[in-house]
Amino acid sequence: MTENAVLLARVQAGQLIEADEVSEEYRQLLIETLTITADTELLGALMHYDNLYHERVPEPFVGTLLAITQDEFGHAHIAYRLLEDLGVDIDYLLWERPAQRFKHPYAMDMLYTTFAESALIGFLQDRAGFHLLGDVYRTTSYAPWKRALAKVDREEVFHMRFGERAVTMLARSPEGRLQLQRALDWMFPITVEWFGQPDHLKRRDRQLEFRLKSKTNDQLRQDWLAEVVPFLTRLGLHVPAHYDEAQSAYVLDYPFPCRFLAEEKRWDFSTPVSWEEVRARWRQRGPYNEYLVQTLRTGRTLLTALQAADEVSQ
């Protein structure tokens, strides 16, 4: 048996794999998966930071969002550190990689300008991240990642609770409900996309075979819909999805996928598109992609300049 076949047999027998035991295929799958995780956590921290910096957050929630921002930076550090152990050049990923080549979900490349949108980041997007990483934590075959996610999993629950509290608070008033509905109209479909393309478009999922995760895109999307749709409906918000008894599943009330007008933050439900067009939009990135990445790098540039000035003064 090849090295890869031996490792696959161990994984499917339920064994955990350490960093010095990986095959090349397993390593490449890990790098791809961890890069998406690291970039998502990092851009999530920068999104929250941007909302705090521009004072879009009511005072009672500032401390909570500061703590969440700190958590997200810590989660990103964990994933990048695991990548470094696998031989990845982290300096390149953070400071030299073109912004368009970051691998976070497309939803994170949008401009969020209201507290209703910040609340739904917590309620919709942090919940999507919780389901994705929670599945990894429970079932991954990669031992270093499983150990690291014990802390991350608990903190992601805290992030979701912020979203629940903030959305519930806003929904108590007619004005708050209106703000939430406006945000939800574009943020719900864009978070549905968070889980990737439907299962029938994947001929083979090596992540499942190597037990880097245990659930498919559609299974994770269903788990998320089962929590999000009833909660928001109880708050009096319109959600374009419902539970279908015949299918024993949640179904969307619009074509999936369909056209998204990014600059307007608006979906055109009357215009279905192909998944190839969606993937092209994802590769192109959204209108805020460059800004967020440069926000990260501006801090390092400033620190380098201050250190150089300090050396000169000495």
Side-chain angles (χ1 to χ4, degrees), residues 19 24 57 78 104 123 126 131 135 143 151 182 191 228 312:
E24 184 55 29
V57 180
I78 288 170
H104 52 279
F123 184 78
D126 281 344
H131 279 287
D135 179 51
K151 174 179 182 291
R182 286 174 179 162
T191 315
V228 165
V312 170

Side-chain angles (χ1 to χ4, degrees), residues 221-222 225-227 229-230 241-244 247-252:
R221 195 169 4 244
Q222 280 294 315
L225 286 167
E227 293 180 1
V229 176
H242 68 278
Y243 186 75
D244 185 278
Q247 299 182 52
S248 298
Y250 280 88
V251 297
L252 302 175

Side-chain angles (χ1 to χ4, degrees), residues 65-203:
L65 264 186
L66 280 170
I68 291 173
T69 303
Q70 181 177 358
D71 286 346
E72 300 287 23
F73 278 124
H75 300 173
H77 173 76
I78 288 170
Y80 285 123
R81 184 66 181 82
L82 290 170
L83 283 166
E84 192 170 37
D85 289 343
L86 293 167
V88 176
D89 183 350
I90 304 305
D91 280 344
Y92 170 77
L93 287 185
L94 289 172
W95 314 120
E96 300 175 29
R97 183 174 33 151
Q100 286 187 332
R101 294 186 63 187
F102 275 67
K103 296 185 180 296
H104 52 279
Y106 181 87
M108 307 184 86
D109 287 338
M110 301 302 297
L111 175 61
Y112 295 84
T113 59
T114 69
F115 180 62
E117 290 174 335
S118 284
L120 286 172
I121 288 173
F123 184 78
L124 298 175
Q125 297 177 7
D126 281 344
R127 186 175 300 271
F130 173 78
H131 279 287
L132 287 159
L133 279 182
D135 179 51
V136 173
Y137 172 50
R138 289 186 298 273
T139 63
T140 186
S141 61
Y142 189 53
W145 200 6
K146 188 176 186 69
R147 290 191 290 267
L149 286 175
K151 174 179 182 291
V152 174
D153 188 69
R154 294 186 183 92
E155 291 172 348
E156 291 292 355
V157 172
F158 167 59
H159 302 178
M160 285 196 305
R161 296 296 173 257
F162 154 73
E164 290 174 2
R165 288 193 304 110
V167 166
T168 301
M169 182 202 74
L170 284 167
R172 288 182 185 138
S173 71
E175 180 184 357
R177 249 189 333 273
L178 179 61
Q179 292 172 358
L180 278 172
Q181 190 64 62
R182 286 174 179 162
L184 187 65
D185 287 344
W186 74 270
M187 288 181 67
F188 177 83
I190 211 167
T191 315
V192 169
E193 281 190 351
W194 192 290
F195 298 93
Q197 61 187 16
D199 294 347
H200 71 269
L201 296 178
K202 286 193 167 187
R203 288 184 300 237

Side-chain angles (χ1 to χ4, degrees), residues 3-12 15-34 83 86 136 139-146 206-213:
E3 176 191 23
N4 201 54
V6 170
L7 186 135
L8 182 58
R10 288 182 57 197
V11 163
Q12 294 184 347
Q15 295 183 30
L16 292 175
I17 307 301
E18 297 293 344
D20 59 355
E21 300 175 313
V22 301
S23 66
E24 184 55 29
E25 182 181 6
Y26 188 95
R27 176 178 170 274
Q28 290 301 326
L29 285 169
L30 261 177
I31 289 172
E32 178 184 347
T33 308
L34 280 166
L83 283 166
L86 293 167
V136 173
T139 63
T140 186
S141 61
Y142 189 53
W145 200 6
K146 188 176 186 69
R206 296 292 275 175
Q207 289 178 323
L208 291 175
E209 293 179 42
F210 277 101
R211 266 197 326 114
L212 294 180
K213 63 177 186 176

